[in-house]
């Protein structure tokens, strides 16, 4: 129960700070006169963030386990998934990110105009977001997990949620 509460708290802080950043960027760098951010922009950014958090933290262990037949072990499968999934996800989240800005800057655009905006420079936007996402969500997540597990091993202190996974890490 405590782990779930902590996850909700962390997710709330992450999403809130990212939304505040998006709102500030839209108001600072937008083509429209600074105004209230429309709910549609918030919805696009929240969708992007919920998808991201699910893929960044939940999917890699699951996909990694499924990939162990291809990579040789569950750990190398996890590493491949943790590096690859956040990058692949940018093909979906980059348009959501841009949609939020388009809703703010061009509130009267039609759906066709929104798709045209998101499609313009699509691969450039996806590529730059991949470059931006790799350090914290691909490599940083792996580094954080390794440091945390090594520190727990060194101190011989294991949180309850880790105790069930110790067999995997010792034998894995």
């Amino acid at each position: 129960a405590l782990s779930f509460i902590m996850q909700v708290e962390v997710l709330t802080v992450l999403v809130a700070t990212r939304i505040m950043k998006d709102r500030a960027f839209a108001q600072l760098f937008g083509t429209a006169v600074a105004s209230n951010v429309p709910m549609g922009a918030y919805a696009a950014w929240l969708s992007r963030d919920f998808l991201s958090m699910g893929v960044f933290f939940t999917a890699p262990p699951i996909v990694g386990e499924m990939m162990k037949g291809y990579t040789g072990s569950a750990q190398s499968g996890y590493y491949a998934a943790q590096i690859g999934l956040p990058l692949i996800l940018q093909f979906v989240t980059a348009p959501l990110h841009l949609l939020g800005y388009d809703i703010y800057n061009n509130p009267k655009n039609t759906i066709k105009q929104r798709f045209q905006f998101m499609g313009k420079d699509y691969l450039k936007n996806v590529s730059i977001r991949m470059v931006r996402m790799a350090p914290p969500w691909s490599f940083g997540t792996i580094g954080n997990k390794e440091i945390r597990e090594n520190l727990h091993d060194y101190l011989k202190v294991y949180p309850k949620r880790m105790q069930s996974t110790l067999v995997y890490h010792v034998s894995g």
Side-chain angles (χ1 to χ4, degrees), residues 92-140:
V92 175
T93 58
L96 290 171
H97 179 75
L98 295 173
L99 178 62
Y101 289 118
D102 189 50
I103 291 170
Y104 175 79
N105 287 312
N106 305 299
K108 295 187 190 313
N109 268 3
T110 64
I111 292 173
K112 181 180 178 183
Q113 289 170 316
R114 295 208 191 284
F115 274 103
Q116 287 172 337
F117 171 74
M118 290 184 294
K120 181 181 177 235
D121 300 327
Y122 173 74
L123 290 178
K124 269 199 257 183
N125 285 305
V126 168
S127 299
I128 199 67
R129 284 185 58 81
M130 284 179 169
V131 169
R132 187 183 168 282
M133 295 298 159
W137 303 117
S138 294
F139 303 107

Side-chain angles (χ1 to χ4, degrees), residues 3-24:
S3 176
F4 176 75
I5 292 169
M6 285 182 8
Q7 289 175 352
V8 169
E9 289 171 347
V10 168
L11 180 65
T12 301
V13 170
L14 284 173
V15 169
T17 55
R18 285 180 64 155
I19 295 295
M20 289 183 341
K21 172 197 59 99
D22 288 325
R23 182 184 65 203

Side-chain angles (χ1 to χ4, degrees), residues 43-115:
W45 295 329
L46 279 171
S47 298
R48 174 205 62 199
D49 290 348
F50 282 118
L51 277 170
S52 296
M53 294 305 116
V55 169
F56 295 171
F57 298 117
T58 305
I62 297 165
V63 173
E65 187 66 31
M66 294 175 359
M67 290 179 60
K68 70 182 176 186
Y70 301 102
T71 62
S73 71
Q75 185 175 20
S76 62
Y78 164 76
Y79 289 158
Q82 188 64 64
I83 291 169
L85 288 174
L87 303 180
I88 292 167
L89 183 65
Q90 298 316 304
F91 287 99
V92 175
T93 58
L96 290 171
H97 179 75
L98 295 173
L99 178 62
Y101 289 118
D102 189 50
I103 291 170
Y104 175 79
N105 287 312
N106 305 299
K108 295 187 190 313
N109 268 3
T110 64
I111 292 173
K112 181 180 178 183
Q113 289 170 316
R114 295 208 191 284
F115 274 103

